[in-house]
Amino acid sequence: MSLLDLEKNELDQLAADVRARYDALKAKDLSLDLTRGKPSSEQLDFSNVLLALPGEGNYRDQTGADVRNYGNLAGIGDIRELWAEVLGVDHANVIAGDSSSLNIMFDLISYSYAFGNNDSERPWKDEEKVKWVCPVPGYDRHFTITEQFGFEMVQVPMLEDGPDVDAIEKLVQDPQVKGMWAVPIFGNPTGISYSSEAIERLATMETAAPDFRIVWDNAYAVHTLTNEFPDNPDVISIAAEKGHPNRFWYMSSTSKITFAGSGVSFFASSKENLNWYSQIAGVRGIGPNKVNQLAHARFFGDAEGVRATMRKHAASLAPKFEAVLEILNERLGEYNVATWTEPKGGYFISMDVIDGTADRVWELAKQAGITLTKAGASFPHGKDPRGRNIRLAPSLPPLDEVREAMDGVATCVLLAAFEKLGA
Amino acid sequence: MSLLDLEKNELDQLAADVRARYDALKAKDLSLDLTRGKPSSEQLDFSNVLLALPGEGNYRDQTGADVRNYGNLAGIGDIRELWAEVLGVDHANVIAGDSSSLNIMFDLISYSYAFGNNDSERPWKDEEKVKWVCPVPGYDRHFTITEQFGFEMVQVPMLEDGPDVDAIEKLVQDPQVKGMWAVPIFGNPTGISYSSEAIERLATMETAAPDFRIVWDNAYAVHTLTNEFPDNPDVISIAAEKGHPNRFWYMSSTSKITFAGSGVSFFASSKENLNWYSQIAGVRGIGPNKVNQLAHARFFGDAEGVRATMRKHAASLAPKFEAVLEILNERLGEYNVATWTEPKGGYFISMDVIDGTADRVWELAKQAGITLTKAGASFPHGKDPRGRNIRLAPSLPPLDEVREAMDGVATCVLLAAFEKLGA
C-alpha cells in the first residue's frame, strides 16, 4: 500500500490520526538526541581498564625503547603489528599516530595542497581546479575537509554494493579529479560495504591524474552488529598488483573501539606514500603519543582482543538498531513514505523520506524535542539534491530513548508526507 | 691569555699535548651522545604515576562531561585553568591540545599559508614572497617549518637580553615579513630570556603586514635550573594594551615536565586568533585527547604541583649543567678559543668556537665517539654564517658521561683551534 493509493477521505482520516499523535508527542516535552555517532556510556565502560594503562613501571615497547621519551615518528611496533593483523595488511605498511585518523586525512590533503604528493606534477594549490569524487550519502566531516580546501565535490550515488563505479571510472579520466572519499565497510551513513568487484575496479582503473588518491577511511573495519566480522580486503596489496601501488590512503582507528577521541589512529599505505607523508609529518612534529599506543597494545593484547571488545559493542548496539528497524517497519512499512538501510555493522541507518520533505521532518522532530542530524548533512555542502535523506544515529541514547525517539520520528515522517500531499 | 698571543714554540708544545690527549680519547672507544634536548630516565621517572592515570573510574572533567567520548575542541577546563595559572594568563585565552605544541605551530603556519589568518588580506601562498624573522642561534625545528613552506628566513642576532629588536623593528616595515620565531624564556640554545623591554617593544612595534605574528614558543616557562622560577610576562594582555591584540601565538606544553611526546600542549592567544584557529582545527578533527588531559590535571593537582615537579628536574639537571660549565672553564677558560652561555634554565648551552672551526670540532668529536648536534643546526638551513656555533645538550646522559663527553669536546675544540692556527 502507498499513501498515494488512498482515497481522499481515507487519507484525511489517517492524517488526522497522525496529527493527533504528533500533538500528543509534543505534549510529552521530550529531549532526545539521535544526531551523532557517539558510543554510549555502556560501550565506553568496556574499556575502563585503559584509564589505568599502561600502568606504573610499564614504559618499554617490544624493542626495549622508552615510550616516555621523544622519537619514533612511525609509532611503536607493538601496536602497529597488532593493528596490521586486525586489518590484514603488512605491518611495514602501517604507521600509528595520535588519536584521530581524521587529523591524518586532513593533513594528507593539506600537504598535497601545499606541496604536492609523491606523484604530483605540482602542488594542488597550483592546479586550476581540484575535483573530488564524493559517494553520497557519505560522511559529513569528509566533505567539510574538501570544502575547506575549495575542491569541487562531484557526487556519485551509493548503490547496493558500493559507489557507482561506472560513473567513477568516467570521472577519473579528468585530470582535475585528484581523489575520492570512501568508507568501504559499513559505510557512513548507509551501512553498505563495498563489494570485492567494486574494490578491484577502483584499484585497477586508470586515472588521468598521476597523483589521484582514494582516502580509504575504514572507520568500521571491525564494527559488526552480528556475530560475523566483515572481510577487510588488503587494498594496499590489491592496488600494487593492479599496478597502482600508491592509490590508497588507508585510514583506521580505535575511536569507536576503546574511547572516542583518545584512541590510536593508523595510516596504512605503500612505502612511497608513507615516506612522503612522514617527511612532512616529521617537520610538523617529533612523533605520536607512544604512551597511549603502549596502553592500547596492553589493553588489547592481540587481534583477538580487539574482536572480543567488538563483540561486546555488538551486543550493546544491536538491540538499538533492531529497535529502529522494528519501529520504522511497524509505523511506516505499509505506507510507502520512506525507505531505509538495514546495516549489519557501523553506526548509522540512512533513511530516505518522500523527496523534499527531509527538512520538514527535521523541523517537526525538533519542535517535538527530538534532535536529528540536519537533513542533508550526508551530502557535500549539507545540501541533499532530493531533500530526502536523514541519518539516524541510535548508538548514544539508552534503548528506551531510542524507541521513544524513533516512534516520534516515524510520526514526523508521516506528518510531513501528509502535508506534502495536501492532506 | 689567548692562543694568538703565544710564541710559536709554546703553541707547538701545547698543540702536541692536545694531540696526545686526543689520541688517548680516541683510544677509549667511547659512545656518548650530547645531541638532543631529551630528558633522562631519571627525569622521566618523576612522572611515572601518570602511567596509571587518570585511573579506572576517573573519566569526568570538572563540568561532569565524560572525557572518554567525542567533543570539546578547546580541551577540558581542568587543565586549561591549571595551565593558565602556570603561565599567568586568562584561562579563556588558553586552549589545550594533543601532545605537541610544535604540531600546533606547524598548523598555524600551514592554515595561514593555505587560507590566510584572521588578519590576512590573502592566503600566504598567494603572497609574492613571505619572509620570517629568525633570531639566531635558535631552535632547528622552528627553522625547518618555515623552510618547508619556502619562507625566506631573515636572521637577527640574539643579544644578552633577547633578539636585536632594533633590527626587527626595521625588518617589520616590509609587508612581506609575516612573522617571527621566539623562544622567550631560557631560549634554545642560548638559555637567554627576553627582557621586559624587548617584549614590550615587540608588542608595541607597528608592522607593515596586518597579519604579522610572533610564534611565542615558551617551551621552558618553568624549566629552571635554580630555586627561582622565571617571570612569564602575559604577552596576550601586553599586546592588547599596546593595540596589537592578535600579535602573539603563545605556545606551551608539558613535554619536558611529564613525558616528552605524550604530554599536553597549549595554545594561548586572543579570542579572535583562537576562533580562527579553532574553525579550521574543527575541520581537521573533533577534539584533542581529553583522557590524557584529565590524567595530567590529576597528576599535577594545581600550578604548585607543576612547580614541585620542576624542582625535581632542576635538582637532576643542574649538576650536569654545572659539570659542562666547570669543564669548559677549566679546559678552555684561559685560551680564548671559545665562549659559551651560562643558562639559568632550559636544556642547552650554546658554545661559539673559533670562527670556521665548528664543523671540524663536530667531526673530531664524532671520530672520538662523541656525537654532538651538527654544527650549524641552530641556524636556518643548518648553515651558521660564521661556522662557530655548537649546541650542547647535557640532559640525557648520566652525569659521569656528561663529564667524559665534555672533556673530550674541550680537547676537540682546542685541537681544531690549533689546526686553524697551523700549529
Side-chain angles (χ1 to χ4, degrees):
Chain A
M1 186 181 78
S2 161
L3 284 193
L4 298 170
D5 301 332
L6 295 178
E7 299 293 324
K8 179 81 171 79
N9 63 337
E10 287 176 297
L11 198 66
D12 287 342
Q13 179 55 48
L14 260 176
D17 289 352
V18 167
R19 284 207 167 83
R21 198 148 175 170
Y22 182 71
D23 291 340
L25 177 70
K26 282 221 293 199
K28 282 192 194 172
D29 209 15
L30 298 175
S31 175
L32 302 172
D33 192 326
L34 289 181
T35 54
R36 290 220 75 95
K38 285 184 174 185
S40 66
S41 298
E42 182 183 76
Q43 291 177 268
L44 294 166
D45 283 346
F46 301 149
S47 300
N48 274 349
V49 168
L50 195 52
L51 291 164
L53 287 178
E56 268 195 71
N58 289 319
Y59 51 77
R60 299 214 177 266
D61 71 10
Q62 61 189 17
T63 69
D66 190 332
V67 299
R68 301 170 304 175
N69 222 327
Y70 287 119
N72 198 351
L73 189 66
I76 63 172
D78 313 55
I79 196 76
R80 290 168 62 203
E81 287 174 17
L82 190 159
W83 211 255
E85 196 189 330
V86 169
L87 297 182
V89 301
D90 187 333
H91 71 84
N93 292 109
V94 180
I95 62 182
D98 280 333
S99 298
S100 163
S101 60
L102 196 67
N103 285 174
I104 303 178
M105 296 182 235
F106 180 98
D107 287 351
L108 287 165
I109 289 176
S110 177
Y111 299 170
S112 299
Y113 183 79
F115 314 117
N117 69 41
N118 43 311
D119 289 317
S120 295
E121 283 154 355
R122 63 191 76 85
W124 290 358
K125 73 179 170 62
D126 296 331
E127 298 286 348
E128 200 186 310
K129 183 183 273 194
V130 173
K131 297 176 189 163
W132 206 266
V133 178
C134 298
V136 291
Y139 179 31
D140 53 348
R141 286 185 180 273
H142 283 168
F143 302 149
T144 310
I145 291 175
T146 31
E147 181 176 359
Q148 177 71 35
F149 285 92
F151 298 171
E152 184 181 314
M153 293 182 269
V154 188
Q155 302 189 23
V156 158
M158 281 296 288
L159 308 178
E160 293 293 303
D161 60 349
D164 182 344
V165 183
D166 288 343
I168 295 170
E169 284 172 342
K170 286 198 192 80
L171 286 169
V172 298
Q173 290 167 30
D174 175 355
Q176 295 186 329
V177 172
K178 292 290 191 187
M180 168 181 160
W181 292 116
V183 184
I185 305 289
F186 302 140
N188 175 351
T190 59
I192 290 170
S193 295
Y194 286 27
S195 68
S196 315
E197 194 214 330
I199 292 172
E200 191 155 314
R201 287 175 66 191
L202 291 170
T204 306
M205 66 188 183
E206 297 299 329
T207 64
D211 51 353
F212 176 89
R213 295 291 184 269
I214 298 174
V215 183
W216 197 251
D217 184 4
N218 200 358
Y220 307 103
V222 289
H223 300 59
T224 183
L225 291 167
T226 71
N227 288 322
E228 269 179 69
F229 286 94
D231 279 335
N232 286 294
D234 172 4
V235 289
I236 300 165
S237 297
I238 295 171
E241 278 160 29
K242 301 301 179 186
H244 304 113
N246 299 340
R247 174 139 307 166
F248 292 95
W249 286 336
Y250 189 159
M251 318 307 305
S252 178
S253 90
T254 69
S255 275
K256 280 157 194 149
I257 299 172
T258 58
F259 300 144
S262 54
V264 179
S265 64
F266 301 92
F267 171 34
S269 207
S270 67
K271 289 278 181 62
E272 262 192 51
N273 283 353
L274 294 182
N275 286 345
W276 165 76
Y277 167 77
S278 300
Q279 209 186 329
I280 305 170
V283 173
R284 186 173 178 267
I286 301 173
N289 183 333
K290 301 192 299 292
V291 172
N292 192 39
Q293 294 183 351
L294 185 63
H296 275 75
R298 296 285 166 105
F299 176 69
F300 290 129
D302 54 23
E304 178 49 32
V306 177
R307 287 186 285 268
T309 301
M310 293 319 294
R311 284 190 198 99
K312 295 183 196 171
H313 285 288
S316 173
L317 284 171
K320 295 180 181 177
F321 278 75
E322 282 159 19
V324 172
L325 297 176
E326 186 189 306
I327 292 166
L328 288 175
N329 264 316
E330 226 170 66
R331 298 280 322 278
L332 305 179
E334 58 182 320
Y335 296 122
N336 206 13
V337 291
T339 59
W340 51 86
T341 57
E342 300 191 357
K344 299 277 177 287
Y347 263 65
F348 303 102
I349 290 166
S350 178
M351 175 170 69
D352 286 333
V353 295
I354 291 179
D355 282 24
T357 66
D359 276 336
R360 181 62 181 153
V361 170
W362 182 86
E363 192 182 296
L364 286 167
K366 186 87 195 160
Q367 286 167 8
I370 303 166
T371 314
L372 296 175
T373 308
K374 265 285 201 186
S378 299
F379 291 78
H381 306 292
K383 281 183 198 126
D384 171 7
R386 294 180 61 175
R388 64 174 182 170
N389 187 255
I390 290 173
R391 183 181 81 172
L392 301 168
S395 58
L396 186 65
L399 182 56
D400 56 339
E401 287 188 16
V402 171
R403 292 192 163 279
E404 187 150 37
M406 280 311 302
D407 192 62
V409 169
T411 301
C412 297
V413 170
L414 282 168
L415 182 49
F418 287 121
E419 287 178 358
K420 170 99 177 188
L421 295 171
Chain B
M1 187 182 77
S2 160
L3 285 194
L4 297 170
D5 302 333
L6 294 179
E7 299 294 326
K8 179 82 170 77
N9 63 337
E10 288 178 296
L11 198 64
D12 288 341
Q13 179 54 47
L14 260 177
D17 289 353
V18 167
R19 282 206 169 82
R21 198 149 176 168
Y22 181 69
D23 291 340
L25 177 69
K26 281 220 292 198
K28 282 193 195 172
D29 207 16
L30 298 175
S31 175
L32 301 171
D33 191 326
L34 289 180
T35 53
R36 291 221 75 95
K38 286 184 174 186
S40 66
S41 298
E42 181 182 77
Q43 290 177 269
L44 295 166
D45 283 347
F46 301 148
S47 301
N48 275 349
V49 168
L50 195 51
L51 292 164
L53 288 177
E56 268 194 73
N58 288 320
Y59 52 78
R60 298 212 177 267
D61 71 9
Q62 60 189 16
T63 70
D66 189 333
V67 299
R68 301 171 303 175
N69 221 327
Y70 287 119
N72 198 352
L73 189 66
I76 63 172
D78 313 56
I79 196 75
R80 290 169 61 203
E81 288 175 17
L82 190 159
W83 212 255
E85 196 189 330
V86 169
L87 297 181
V89 300
D90 186 332
H91 72 84
N93 292 109
V94 180
I95 62 182
D98 281 333
S99 299
S100 163
S101 61
L102 196 66
N103 285 173
I104 302 178
M105 296 182 233
F106 180 99
D107 287 351
L108 288 165
I109 289 175
S110 177
Y111 300 169
S112 298
Y113 183 78
F115 315 116
N117 70 39
N118 43 311
D119 288 318
S120 295
E121 281 155 354
R122 64 190 77 85
W124 290 358
K125 73 180 170 63
D126 296 331
E127 299 286 348
E128 200 187 309
K129 183 181 272 194
V130 173
K131 296 177 189 162
W132 206 265
V133 178
C134 299
V136 291
Y139 178 31
D140 54 347
R141 287 186 178 273
H142 283 168
F143 302 149
T144 310
I145 291 175
T146 29
E147 182 177 0
Q148 176 72 35
F149 285 92
F151 298 172
E152 183 181 316
M153 292 183 270
V154 187
Q155 303 190 23
V156 158
M158 281 296 289
L159 308 177
E160 292 294 302
D161 62 347
D164 182 344
V165 184
D166 288 343
I168 295 169
E169 284 172 341
K170 286 197 191 81
L171 286 169
V172 299
Q173 290 168 29
D174 175 356
Q176 293 185 332
V177 173
K178 292 291 191 187
M180 167 181 161
W181 291 118
V183 184
I185 306 288
F186 303 139
N188 175 351
T190 59
I192 291 170
S193 297
Y194 287 26
S195 68
S196 315
E197 194 214 329
I199 292 172
E200 191 155 314
R201 287 174 67 192
L202 291 171
T204 306
M205 66 186 182
E206 297 298 328
T207 63
D211 50 355
F212 176 88
R213 295 290 184 271
I214 298 174
V215 183
W216 197 252
D217 184 4
N218 200 359
Y220 307 104
V222 289
H223 300 59
T224 182
L225 291 167
T226 72
N227 289 320
E228 268 180 69
F229 286 93
D231 280 335
N232 286 294
D234 172 4
V235 290
I236 300 165
S237 297
I238 295 171
E241 278 160 26
K242 301 301 181 186
H244 304 113
N246 299 338
R247 174 139 305 167
F248 293 95
W249 286 334
Y250 189 160
M251 318 308 304
S252 179
S253 90
T254 69
S255 274
K256 280 157 195 150
I257 299 172
T258 59
F259 300 144
S262 53
V264 179
S265 64
F266 301 91
F267 171 35
S269 207
S270 67
K271 289 279 180 61
E272 259 190 53
N273 283 353
L274 294 182
N275 286 344
W276 164 76
Y277 167 77
S278 300
Q279 209 186 329
I280 305 171
V283 173
R284 186 174 177 269
I286 301 173
N289 184 334
K290 303 191 300 291
V291 172
N292 191 39
Q293 295 183 349
L294 185 64
H296 275 76
R298 296 284 165 103
F299 175 70
F300 291 128
D302 53 23
E304 179 48 33
V306 177
R307 287 186 285 269
T309 301
M310 293 319 294
R311 283 189 199 99
K312 295 184 197 171
H313 285 287
S316 174
L317 284 172
K320 295 181 181 177
F321 277 75
E322 283 160 19
V324 172
L325 297 176
E326 188 189 304
I327 291 167
L328 289 174
N329 264 316
E330 229 169 68
R331 298 278 323 277
L332 305 179
E334 59 181 320
Y335 297 120
N336 206 14
V337 291
T339 59
W340 50 86
T341 57
E342 300 190 357
K344 299 276 175 291
Y347 263 65
F348 303 102
I349 289 166
S350 178
M351 174 169 69
D352 286 333
V353 295
I354 291 180
D355 281 24
T357 67
D359 277 334
R360 182 62 182 154
V361 171
W362 182 87
E363 194 181 294
L364 287 167
K366 186 85 194 163
Q367 285 167 8
I370 303 166
T371 314
L372 296 175
T373 308
K374 265 284 200 189
S378 299
F379 291 77
H381 306 291
K383 283 184 196 124
D384 171 8
R386 295 181 60 176
R388 63 172 183 170
N389 187 256
I390 290 174
R391 184 181 79 172
L392 301 168
S395 57
L396 186 63
L399 181 55
D400 57 339
E401 288 188 16
V402 171
R403 289 193 165 279
E404 186 149 38
M406 280 311 302
D407 193 62
V409 168
T411 301
C412 298
V413 170
L414 281 169
L415 183 49
F418 286 122
E419 288 177 359
K420 169 100 178 188
L421 296 171

